[in-house]
Amino acid sequence: MRILERTETLSAAQTVTGYRLVFVRRGLFRLKLPRWDGLVDPLVAYVQAPGAEQRIAHRPEREDACTVIALDDALAADLLPARLPARPLITNGRVDLAQRTLLAKARQGADEFELTDRVSLIASQLLDERHDLPSAPASHHRLADAARELLGTDPAWSSFGALAGELRVSRPHLSRVFRAVTGESLTSFRARLRVRAALDQLEAGQQNLADLAAELGFADHAHLTRTLRAELGSTPTQIRDLLRA
């Protein structure tokens, strides 16, 4: 098992050489897998098998960062189902925090026993989640992806009317289509993106929580703290210490 960080800024095509769990930590990019093609963001992870080909189209002048967990064949047989998911998997906040903690522990020199234990828990939580989404017309997927990209670029969006105007659709239509495609509301999606963005900055060592709250669109420091505690079970200071220890 190997745990590594990958930052890619150029479009790439590669053949996977082993079993991998890939968590998107930062950015948005187009991912083409053998049986799926679409936009991925920091709210998803995906599973790859040996011999599969992937193509990644990055946005110009944008940096995308992922955590890649490479599994040996024996561990993959223990952790992964016989039929691997064809599409990216939705991650909740606690799974995302767990994979970031895993990366921090790997940096700190944790031994194979601890890392394997953590990976096993992450994989079981990730694969136990429901990931089936309703089918929708291609035009609806394009609209939902456009909204995801705008919010992913700036999760501090505060005007729903401005977002709908940017996409040139009515607010009710945007709400209906986004929920139909993704299974959640735009408000929920934006909140989860804000939590991931907060994790990214806390992991980088951000000290000023008031500035962080303002930058990400939270009402204030207290709102940021309540939101992270509710979704992650920890305060911003606890999370920063955990990821930076």
Side-chain angles (χ1 to χ4, degrees), residues 97-108:
L97 179 58
Q99 65 89 6
R100 290 171 187 264
T101 303
L102 171 72
L103 183 57
K105 294 295 184 181
R107 289 173 181 151
Q108 295 159 26

Side-chain angles (χ1 to χ4, degrees), residues 124-145:
S124 64
Q125 292 177 61
L126 177 66
L127 295 167
D128 282 347
E129 293 283 321
R130 288 181 59 84
H131 303 285
D132 50 320
L133 296 174
S135 60
S139 60
H140 287 188
H141 279 280
R142 287 193 294 271
L143 176 58
D145 279 356

Side-chain angles (χ1 to χ4, degrees), residues 70-82:
L71 310 173
D72 59 40
D73 290 348
L75 186 56
D78 284 343
L79 298 182
L80 303 179

Side-chain angles (χ1 to χ4, degrees), residues 12-233:
Q14 63 179 206
T15 300
V16 179
T17 57
Y19 289 99
R20 309 194 302 187
L21 296 177
V22 183
F23 290 83
V24 182
R25 286 204 323 275
R26 183 171 61 253
L28 295 99
F29 55 91
R30 182 69 55 178
L31 173 68
K32 182 175 177 57
L33 300 174
R35 293 180 290 156
W36 187 86
D37 184 1
L39 188 69
V40 294
D41 55 42
L43 303 182
V44 303
Y46 53 99
V47 184
Q48 297 178 307
E53 184 179 271
Q54 70 168 15
R55 290 183 174 272
I56 299 175
H58 297 279
R59 299 304 193 255
E61 301 180 0
R62 291 281 302 273
E63 180 182 84
D64 303 313
C66 299
T67 299
V68 181
I69 304 174
L71 310 173
D72 59 40
D73 290 348
L75 186 56
D78 284 343
L79 298 182
L80 303 179
R83 183 176 176 82
L84 297 182
R87 59 178 298 137
L89 307 174
I90 300 167
T91 62
N92 60 45
R94 296 185 186 234
V95 168
D96 188 65
L97 179 58
Q99 65 89 6
R100 290 171 187 264
T101 303
L102 171 72
L103 183 57
K105 294 295 184 181
R107 289 173 181 151
Q108 295 159 26
D111 64 16
E112 184 75 9
F113 186 99
E114 178 180 354
L115 295 178
T116 301
D117 184 32
R118 288 180 179 274
V119 169
S120 299
L121 291 173
I122 291 169
S124 64
Q125 292 177 61
L126 177 66
L127 295 167
D128 282 347
E129 293 283 321
R130 288 181 59 84
H131 303 285
D132 50 320
L133 296 174
S135 60
S139 60
H140 287 188
H141 279 280
R142 287 193 294 271
L143 176 58
D145 279 356
R148 288 171 60 206
E149 184 158 7
L150 287 174
L151 289 170
T153 302
D154 180 14
W157 276 82
S158 59
S159 171
F160 190 88
L163 180 66
E166 182 73 17
L167 296 170
R168 299 184 179 182
V169 295
S170 71
R171 285 170 283 192
H173 180 69
L174 178 58
S175 289
R176 287 194 301 269
V177 167
F178 193 86
R179 183 180 287 276
V181 170
T182 67
E184 68 178 323
S185 70
L186 275 158
T187 299
S188 172
F189 179 81
R190 185 189 64 169
R192 295 197 303 120
L193 276 178
R194 287 177 173 180
V195 168
R196 299 305 203 283
L199 275 175
D200 210 37
Q201 294 207 35
L202 291 169
E203 187 176 9
Q206 169 65 273
Q207 299 288 328
N208 193 320
L209 298 182
D211 284 353
L212 177 59
E215 178 183 342
L216 297 180
F218 291 97
D220 51 29
H221 176 185
H223 183 205
L224 169 67
T225 298
R226 287 196 305 272
T227 302
L228 266 63
R229 183 186 287 120
E231 181 155 348
L232 306 175

